[in-house]
């Protein structure tokens, strides 16, 4: 270029004269300034682009170091690389910000700097701080926060790189334009040299040579920048590939070559699709991509999962001239993710096995508890000294506490295992509340607490729901309220929150106390399992911390929610809602209340809450109610009403009043002339039988236990009349029943003995046997009034024995009541017992009163019950049962084997073995025993051999079973 310019200048020397001197001077000054600007602009643009590219490499190196630290927290070279990359990134970012003349690029770099310092570095510090102490949280932060923040950093860098590239292009265009201008001016200089003379031309030629030299220097700098860019690409750990408009690779860094297993010369010019797995979303002509999953195909056939970011390259006219791909190897991250998922699956499986273990251990735990509680009750009914009674009372109380803990743990395990289900049934809401609170009233009275219930009149009573689970929630909340309250009261209130059409209602329950309260920071914690408001070693109140967690789950299952309002020292109020169905075609109002309209009733109680509840309850029945806060005030109100000629027909008086108690008030009312026409009903505690005796001795009209339910109060008012002195709410012993002959079927000797003694103490005759086979044999030689049948027994279980008894009974014309006894308390156990033909279900540990109540109801219901007469013998009945059930039992075994479910295999094989032993088939029973042991040990190595043996034995039994079935049918029809 320099020779061409010199030749042009020489030709124009003759034409450059005086005017050329002035023009040349002006032109030289302008050219120097222009070229200096072009050079500075171009160099600055190249420096900015190089800094941005280096910045991207620094971020990638930092991210790679963090990933290595996630895998190996103590890796020293990774920490060193991380610090070096961070320092280099800060230097390159500052250099780019100083060098750029592009306002938009400078703003973008400031945004990048802010995000890197305030977001990415913060997350990175938190992540690296947890990587050694809490790897699970560190991994969650890495995938959910860090990768997203780092991706945003790289996105900003890519945008900055595009802007820097555009700036370089603009500078290059500017330089090219100035070069063309320089050539034009060179021609002008040639002309001027001709005009102004040789001297001016020589000077102009020198200036032009200077310009040419500047261009050569600029070209050298461009080459230097290209080499620097190449160095950055080589240092990158991620694969970088530049693709032209035809989809061919025009450039690839060392990381890309190493990843794919090809040399750079092999890659350049080849189509990129050759190295991308078919079906990938990233295509050469696709729009810009951000962290898209793509699979590269290496030379050795390895499939490499990658995270791809792609940006389009555009020409001066905005047309697409290619794209740049930056791909990150995801194999380490995916391996880490797989390890995390495996750890999660292991934890879930451990939780499931724990829940199954707790559920299965229910039987083993409840069986000895049954004996402890049962024999303790038996000993307490014998003649004991005061000290012995006290000690055994503590044993009974501790056993019940232990049983409550077992039930809580069992309920929690059932909830976690997904095996707890609601059992909806029609019930009376007010009666259920009365039953719950009557049991809690004793504990409240022992602590001298007032326990009250307020069920608003508009609350529906005939509802459908799981009354046992609703009772469990209320018992927990009321029990906690009593436990954590030293003085004052506990109030249970029920209102209607809303109706769902005409079929459901959402009821709002609240339990308020005046106890110690709960700090605000513990409000959420108390609903978590194994958590208490005070978990210190010096805590005053005992408990497992499971009650509220279980209650919360139960409330959620009932379609409601539970929450808490409390402050330290001001008491607590627990709220929960429950969605209950409404019983249809049921009268929701009590009997005709018109007879109570205008009835004057005086309520005497020192508790303002109880007075308010009773007065509101009476007013809903159109009763004219007046309240007094003590005995003296009550007597004054009675005398004043008598003198005014409007005496009270009834006085409800709390037996335990300060200063003048209720008995003294009642005595004065009965003795004082003019007040005798007022009937008196005393309100007393359930655990004070001496007060009931005093009621009888005084001749008052009635005695109600607190908390007073609406139904009990209404019944007492209706039964109270002139001259009546009945005492309500004082329970006596049940009338003497006819002694029964009871067959006790129980394999555990301790429980068998306990049940036998328990029955004999009530005057019944007990005949104990050990399993279902002995039970069937006993029924063939003797008659019984009822059977207590354990469910899980060796040889023949209770369900199989019951099925055989029911089939045999079809020929007797009667039905023997059978009550199931089982320590299993899981959902479906009751249904299985009833489906097998049992009449009732009692869970272990056996409560004596519950057992005898169930016996009484079952025996009364069974008298005169019709039965079909088929004339089938016990043997024929067993044959027919096994013939009908064999396919189902074998299919259950086959399903358990297919799923390798050891528990199901053990249970199914145990039941089949019991049936085979009843059929007198020892070979088949032995084969079933092998499968039962395989399921128990969870060792399936010999399962194929055991299954083949069982099927062979069953095939051998097939002709015999067919003949026995035909004979059974003949016996049925004959």
């Amino acid at each position: 270029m320099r020779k061409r310019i010199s030749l042009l200048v020489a030709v124009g020397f003759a034409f450059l004269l005086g005017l050329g001197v002035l023009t040349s001077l002006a032109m030289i000054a302008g050219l120097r300034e222009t070229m200096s600007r072009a050079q500075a602009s171009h160099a600055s643009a190249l420096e900015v682009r190089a800094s941005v590219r280096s910045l991207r490499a620094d971020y990638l190196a930092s991210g790679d170091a963090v990933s290595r630290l996630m895998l190996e927290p103590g890796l020293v070279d990774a920490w060193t690389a991380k610090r070096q990359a961070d320092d280099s990134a800060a230097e390159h970012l500052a250099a780019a910000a100083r060098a750029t003349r592009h306002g938009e690029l400078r703003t973008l770099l400031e945004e990048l700097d802010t995000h890197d310092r305030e977001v990415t570095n913060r997350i990175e510090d938190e992540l690296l701080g947890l990587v050694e102490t809490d790897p699970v949280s560190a991994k969650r932060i890495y995938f959910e926060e860090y990768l997203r923040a780092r991706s945003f950093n790289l996105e900003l860098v890519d945008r900055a790189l595009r802007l820097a590239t555009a700036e370089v292009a603009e500078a290059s265009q500017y330089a090219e334009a100035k070069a063309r201008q320089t050539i034009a001016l060179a021609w002008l200089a040639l002309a001027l040299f001709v005009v102004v003379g040789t001297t001016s031309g020589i000077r102009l030629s020198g200036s032009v040579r200077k310009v040419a030299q500047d261009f050569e220097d600029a070209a050298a700098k461009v080459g230097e920048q290209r080499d620097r860019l190449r160095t950055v690409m080589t240092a990158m750990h991620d694969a970088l590939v530049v693709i032209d408009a035809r989809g061919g690779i025009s450039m690839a860094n060392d990381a890309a070559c190493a990843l794919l297993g090809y040399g750079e010369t092999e890659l350049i010019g080849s189509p990129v699709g050759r190295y991308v797995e078919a079906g990938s979303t990233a295509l050469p002509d696709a729009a810009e991509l951000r962290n898209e999953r793509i699979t590269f195909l290496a030379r050795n056939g390895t499939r490499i999962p990658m995270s791809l970011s792609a940006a389009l390259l555009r020409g001066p006219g905005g047309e697409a001239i290619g794209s740049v791909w930056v791909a990150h190897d995801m194999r380490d991250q995916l391996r880490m993710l797989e390890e995390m998922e495996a750890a999660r699956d292991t934890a879930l499986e451990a939780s499931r096995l724990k829940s199954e273990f707790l559920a299965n251990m229910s039987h083993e735990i409840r069986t000895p508890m049954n004996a402890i509680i049962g024999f303790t009750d038996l000993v307490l009914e014998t003649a004991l000294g005061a000290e012995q009674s006290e000690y055994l009372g503590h044993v009974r109380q501790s056993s019940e506490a232990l049983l409550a803990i077992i039930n809580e743990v069992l309920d929690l395990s059932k909830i976690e295992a997904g095996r707890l289900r609601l059992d909806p049934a029609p019930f009376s809401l007010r009666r259920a509340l009365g039953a719950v609170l009557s049991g809690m009233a004793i504990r409240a009275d022992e602590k001298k607490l007032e326990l009250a219930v307020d069920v608003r009149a508009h609350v529906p009573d005939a509802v459908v729901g799981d009354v046992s689970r609703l009772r469990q929630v209320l018992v927990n909340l009321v029990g906690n309220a009593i436990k954590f309250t030293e003085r004052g009261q506990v109030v249970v209130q029920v209102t209607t929150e809303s109706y769902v059409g005409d079929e459901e209602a959402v009821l709002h329950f609240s339990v308020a106390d005046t106890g110690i309260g709960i700090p605000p920071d513990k409000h959420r914690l108390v609903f978590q399992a194994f958590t208490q408001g005070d978990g210190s070693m010096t805590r005053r109140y005992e408990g497992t911390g499971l009650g509220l967690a279980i209650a919360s789950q139960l409330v959620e299952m009932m379609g409601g929610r539970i929450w808490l309002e409390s402050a330290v020292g001001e008491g607590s109020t627990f709220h929960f809602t429950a969605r209950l169905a409404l019983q249809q075609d049921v009268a929701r109002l009590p009997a005709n209340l018109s007879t109570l309209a205008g009835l004057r009733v005086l309520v005497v109680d020192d508790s303002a809450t109880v007075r308010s509840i009773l007065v509101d309850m009476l007013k809903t029945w159109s009763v004219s109610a007046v309240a007094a806060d003590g005995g003296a005030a009550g007597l004054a109100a009675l005398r004043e009403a008598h003198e005014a000629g409007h005496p009270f027909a009834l006085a409800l008086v709390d037996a335990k009043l300060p200063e003048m108690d209720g008995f003294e008030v009642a005595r004065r009312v009965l003795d004082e002339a003019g007040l005798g026409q007022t009937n008196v009903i005393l309100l007393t505690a359930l655990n004070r039988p001496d007060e009931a005796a005093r009621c009888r001795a005084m001749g008052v009209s009635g005695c109600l236990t607190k908390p007073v339910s609406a139904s009990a109060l209404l019944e007492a008012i209706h039964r109270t009349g002139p001259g009546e002195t009945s005492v309500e709410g004082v329970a006596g012993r049940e009338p003497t029943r006819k002694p029964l002959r009871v067959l006790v079927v129980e394999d555990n000797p301790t429980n068998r003995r306990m049940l036998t003694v328990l029955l004999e103490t009530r005057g019944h005759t007990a005949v104990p046997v050990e399993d279902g086979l002995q039970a069937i044999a006993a029924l063939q030689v003797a008659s019984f009034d009822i059977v207590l049948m354990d469910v899980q027994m060796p040889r023949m279980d209770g369900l199989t024995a019951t099925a055989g008894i029911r089939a045999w009974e079809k020929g007797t014309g009667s039905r023997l009541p059978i009550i199931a006894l089982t320590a299993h308390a899981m959902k479906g156990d009751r249904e299985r017992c009833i489906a097998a033909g049992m009449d009732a279900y009692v869970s272990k540990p056996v409560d004596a009163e519950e057992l005898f109540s169930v016996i009484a109801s079952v025996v009364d219901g069974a008298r005169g019950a019709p039965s079909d007469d088929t004339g089938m013998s016990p043997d024929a009945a067993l044959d027919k049962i096994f013939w009908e059930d064999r396919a189902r039992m074998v299919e259950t075994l086959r399903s358990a084997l297919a799923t390798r479910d050891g528990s199901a295999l053990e249970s199914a094989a145990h039941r089949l073995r019991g049936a085979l032993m009843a059929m007198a088939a020892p070979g088949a029973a032995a084969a079933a025993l092998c499968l039962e042991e395989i399921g128990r040990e969870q060792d399936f190595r010999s399962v194929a051999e055991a299954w083949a043996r069982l099927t062979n034995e069953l095939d051998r039994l097939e002709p015999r079973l067919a003949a026995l079935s035909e004979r059974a049918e003949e016996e049925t029809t004959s």
Side-chain angles (χ1 to χ4, degrees):
M1 180 181 290
R2 193 182 310 172
K3 293 180 179 180
R4 292 173 57 189
I5 295 175
S6 299
L7 179 61
L8 292 174
V9 171
V11 173
F13 279 165
F15 303 97
L16 296 176
L17 297 174
L19 182 61
V21 174
L22 298 176
T23 305
S24 298
L25 291 175
M27 181 186 67
I28 290 171
L31 283 176
R32 284 183 175 177
E33 180 180 358
T34 299
M35 289 308 302
S36 296
R37 290 180 181 178
Q39 178 183 359
S41 175
H42 192 262
S44 176
L46 290 174
E47 181 182 357
V48 170
R49 185 171 64 178
S51 297
V52 172
R53 286 172 174 170
S54 300
L55 177 62
R56 193 180 196 286
D58 294 336
Y59 279 154
L60 291 173
S62 176
D64 181 71
V66 171
S67 299
R68 293 169 61 196
L69 288 172
M70 287 294 295
L71 295 174
E72 297 182 54
L75 200 58
V76 177
D77 60 340
W79 283 102
T80 304
K82 171 72 174 57
R83 287 192 295 269
Q84 292 176 351
D86 291 344
D87 295 341
S88 178
E91 294 176 359
H92 288 136
L93 181 61
R98 289 193 305 268
T100 185
R101 300 182 180 183
H102 199 291
E104 182 181 357
L105 178 57
R106 183 179 294 106
T107 302
L108 184 60
L109 291 174
E110 291 174 354
E111 180 184 356
L112 174 61
D113 181 47
T114 301
H115 181 270
D116 187 61
R117 286 185 291 99
E118 298 180 359
V119 178
T120 307
N121 289 346
R122 175 183 58 77
I123 296 174
E124 197 171 74
D125 294 341
E126 180 181 1
L127 172 67
L128 295 178
L130 291 174
V131 69
E132 292 185 353
T133 60
D134 191 359
V136 175
S137 299
K139 290 178 180 179
R140 178 184 61 78
I141 294 173
Y142 178 81
F143 287 103
E144 296 180 1
E145 299 181 30
Y146 178 76
L147 290 182
R148 187 182 301 112
R150 181 61 66 186
S151 176
F152 185 75
N153 273 16
L154 292 176
E155 181 180 352
L156 294 179
V157 171
D158 291 339
R159 289 170 53 190
L161 185 58
R162 290 196 296 272
L163 291 176
T165 302
E167 186 176 355
V168 170
E170 292 175 0
S172 178
Q173 293 174 1
Y174 179 78
E176 291 178 0
K178 292 306 176 182
R180 290 192 297 268
Q181 181 180 1
T182 302
I183 293 174
L185 291 175
W187 285 100
L188 177 61
L190 180 61
L192 290 175
F193 268 110
V194 173
V195 175
V196 299
T198 303
T199 305
S200 298
I202 293 173
R203 293 184 62 186
L204 179 59
S205 178
S207 298
V208 172
R209 283 195 299 270
K210 178 65 170 61
V211 171
Q213 184 62 46
D214 291 341
F215 271 108
E216 289 182 357
D217 293 342
K221 289 184 178 180
V222 170
E224 182 182 350
Q225 295 292 340
R226 184 182 295 109
D227 294 339
R228 184 180 299 175
L229 175 61
R230 186 69 183 180
T231 302
V232 171
M233 292 176 58
T234 302
M236 288 178 60
H237 293 284
D238 288 341
L240 186 145
V241 180
V242 179
I243 304 168
D244 58 28
R246 296 173 297 177
I249 298 176
S250 59
M251 185 183 296
N253 67 348
D254 292 350
C257 296
L259 185 72
L260 296 175
Y262 294 94
E264 183 178 7
T265 56
E266 294 177 282
L267 290 176
I268 293 178
S270 62
V272 70
R274 179 184 302 172
Y275 312 106
V276 178
E277 185 178 55
S280 297
T281 57
L283 299 175
D285 56 349
E288 295 188 357
L289 302 175
R290 295 290 183 273
N291 299 321
E292 290 289 336
R293 287 289 299 274
I294 188 174
T295 302
F296 278 1
L297 300 176
R299 175 173 238 162
N300 58 5
T302 303
R303 299 173 67 256
I304 306 173
M306 307 293 292
S307 174
L308 174 68
S309 295
L312 289 179
L313 296 177
R314 300 187 180 277
E319 72 281 3
I321 60 174
S323 60
V324 179
W325 286 12
V326 178
H328 178 70
D329 190 347
M330 296 289 292
R331 285 177 291 188
D332 289 341
Q333 297 176 10
L334 293 177
R335 183 168 54 253
M336 185 186 303
L337 181 60
E338 290 175 356
E339 292 174 355
M340 293 175 60
E341 291 177 347
R344 180 202 61 192
D345 294 341
T346 301
L348 292 175
E349 179 65 12
S351 177
R352 185 188 66 81
L353 292 175
K354 179 223 30 174
S355 299
E356 287 188 358
F357 170 77
L358 291 175
N360 292 330
M361 282 301 293
S362 168
H363 177 82
E364 303 300 329
I365 296 174
R366 287 169 174 265
T367 297
M369 286 302 301
N370 180 42
I372 294 172
I373 295 175
F375 277 112
T376 302
D377 288 338
L378 291 175
V379 176
L380 285 172
E381 292 182 4
T382 63
L384 298 172
E387 188 176 8
Q388 293 172 319
S389 297
E390 180 184 358
Y391 291 163
L392 287 175
H394 290 313
V395 172
R396 182 70 163 85
Q397 184 178 6
S398 298
S399 300
E400 290 178 346
L402 178 58
L403 182 60
I405 294 174
I406 293 171
N407 289 334
E408 286 182 348
V409 174
L410 179 60
D411 280 341
L412 182 65
S413 69
K414 287 189 290 185
I415 291 172
E416 291 181 347
R419 299 174 65 182
L420 189 143
R421 298 290 185 273
L422 297 181
D423 186 14
F427 70 95
S428 167
L429 177 65
R430 288 171 174 79
R431 289 183 182 177
L433 282 171
V436 171
L437 297 181
S438 63
M440 310 299 292
I442 297 176
R443 293 173 53 191
D445 188 68
E446 289 174 349
K447 298 186 68 173
K448 296 181 174 55
L449 300 177
E450 189 73 58
L451 178 61
V453 58
D454 181 13
V455 183
R456 297 302 170 90
H458 57 78
V459 175
D461 186 66
V463 295
V464 178
D466 192 331
V467 63
S468 63
R469 295 306 177 185
L470 179 62
R471 184 186 301 115
Q472 183 176 354
V473 175
L474 287 169
V475 166
N476 180 268
L477 296 182
V478 176
N480 284 345
I482 294 173
K483 179 168 67 173
F484 295 108
T485 302
E486 298 300 328
R487 63 179 63 87
Q489 63 185 16
V490 175
V491 180
V492 180
Q493 187 178 70
V494 186
T495 61
T496 303
E497 184 172 282
S498 64
Y499 285 94
V500 183
D502 297 330
E503 298 180 352
E504 291 183 327
V506 178
L507 303 185
H508 180 181
F509 299 80
S510 65
V511 179
D513 63 60
T514 56
I516 60 176
I518 300 174
D521 60 332
K522 300 293 180 64
H523 284 192
R524 290 183 177 271
L525 295 178
V526 296
F527 294 108
Q528 299 178 6
F530 306 105
T531 302
Q532 295 179 315
D534 180 10
S536 64
M537 293 293 292
T538 58
R539 60 192 176 106
R540 295 174 54 193
Y541 303 99
E542 298 179 350
T544 61
L546 292 176
L548 287 176
I550 295 172
S552 176
Q553 295 282 350
L554 293 177
V555 168
E556 184 176 348
M557 293 176 66
M558 290 187 287
R561 62 188 184 95
I562 188 169
W563 70 97
L564 163 65
E565 296 175 355
S566 180
V568 176
E570 299 180 6
S572 305
T573 301
F574 282 84
H575 303 264
F576 75 91
T577 60
R579 176 175 290 193
L580 301 175
L582 303 177
Q583 298 181 34
Q584 302 301 318
D585 301 325
V586 175
R588 294 186 174 87
L589 294 176
N592 186 11
L593 300 175
S594 59
T595 57
L596 301 181
L599 184 71
R600 288 176 54 79
V601 177
L602 176 66
V603 178
V604 184
D605 200 299
D606 59 319
S607 170
T609 301
V610 174
R611 291 198 306 270
S612 174
I613 292 174
L614 290 176
V615 169
D616 290 343
M617 191 184 300
L618 291 167
K619 286 183 177 179
T620 60
W621 302 331
S622 301
V623 173
S624 177
V626 177
D629 60 1
L635 287 174
L638 287 171
R639 295 182 181 121
E640 182 180 350
H642 175 70
E643 293 172 358
H646 301 288
F648 289 101
L650 178 66
L652 302 176
V653 184
D654 185 12
K656 197 174 183 180
L657 292 171
E659 298 180 0
M660 182 188 301
D661 65 16
F663 292 100
E664 178 63 20
V665 174
R667 187 189 64 77
R668 295 191 183 187
V669 170
L670 294 174
D671 293 345
E672 188 171 333
L675 299 184
Q677 59 183 320
T678 299
N679 294 314
V680 177
I681 295 179
L682 288 176
L683 309 180
T684 182
L686 185 65
N687 64 330
R688 292 200 291 265
D690 56 322
E691 294 183 352
R694 292 180 64 184
C695 288
R696 296 189 186 93
M698 293 182 64
V700 296
S701 300
C703 184
L704 287 175
T705 58
K706 298 176 70 174
V708 179
S709 65
S711 58
L713 177 59
L714 184 61
E715 182 181 357
I717 293 175
H718 277 304
R719 298 185 59 179
T720 300
E724 292 191 28
T725 58
S726 62
V727 179
E728 303 296 333
V730 181
R733 293 186 63 84
E734 293 185 1
T736 303
R737 290 185 174 272
K738 174 185 176 182
L740 302 175
R741 184 174 172 83
V742 183
L743 178 62
V744 178
V745 189
E746 168 65 66
D747 64 315
N748 185 280
T750 304
N751 286 341
R752 192 166 61 246
R753 174 60 180 161
M754 184 272 296
L755 290 170
T756 301
V757 175
L758 185 62
L759 290 165
E760 290 175 348
T761 58
R762 297 296 179 98
H764 303 299
T765 300
V767 177
V769 296
E770 298 181 5
D771 54 49
L773 287 176
Q774 294 185 10
I776 293 176
L779 290 173
Q780 295 181 24
V781 299
S783 62
F784 296 90
D785 297 305
I786 193 170
V787 179
L788 302 183
M789 181 78 73
D790 188 18
V791 173
Q792 186 173 345
M793 295 179 293
R795 299 212 300 168
M796 179 181 287
D797 60 44
L799 300 179
T800 304
T802 300
I805 294 171
R806 292 302 181 223
W808 170 52
E809 285 176 339
K810 292 182 180 179
T812 65
S814 63
R815 179 183 175 91
L816 180 64
I818 301 177
I819 298 177
L821 303 177
T822 179
H824 288 288
M826 305 304 285
K827 173 69 176 177
D829 291 332
R830 180 180 182 276
E831 290 75 6
R832 289 170 52 235
C833 294
I834 300 302
M838 296 180 175
D839 298 278
Y841 174 99
V842 175
S843 177
K844 295 180 182 179
V846 174
D847 180 79
E849 296 305 323
E850 179 187 4
L851 175 63
F852 287 113
S853 175
V854 172
I855 289 176
S857 63
V858 169
V859 171
D860 291 342
R863 287 171 179 158
S867 177
D868 295 334
D869 186 0
T870 62
M872 189 181 299
S873 66
D875 289 340
L878 285 174
D879 296 339
K880 187 173 186 300
I881 291 170
F882 185 79
W883 175 260
E884 294 173 349
D885 290 350
R886 74 191 190 289
R888 177 177 53 80
M889 289 190 287
V890 171
E891 182 59 32
T892 303
L893 271 176
R894 183 178 289 107
S895 176
L897 289 172
T899 59
R900 289 296 193 266
D901 189 338
S903 299
L905 177 61
E906 179 186 4
S907 176
H910 175 81
R911 186 166 185 179
L912 178 60
R913 180 168 64 90
L916 289 169
M917 293 185 69
M919 292 291 300
L929 177 60
C930 291
L931 286 174
E932 183 179 349
E933 292 174 348
I934 288 173
R936 184 182 303 112
E937 299 297 331
Q938 300 282 337
D939 185 358
F940 291 89
R941 289 177 295 181
S942 60
V943 70
E945 179 182 351
W947 174 251
R949 178 184 174 189
L950 177 63
T951 54
N952 290 335
E953 293 289 343
L954 291 177
D955 290 341
R956 291 175 54 191
L957 284 175
E958 194 73 17
R960 172 191 166 190
L961 293 173
L964 292 174
S965 178
E966 291 177 1
R967 188 174 67 186
E969 292 295 338
E970 292 173 359
E971 292 182 5
T972 303
T973 57
S974 61

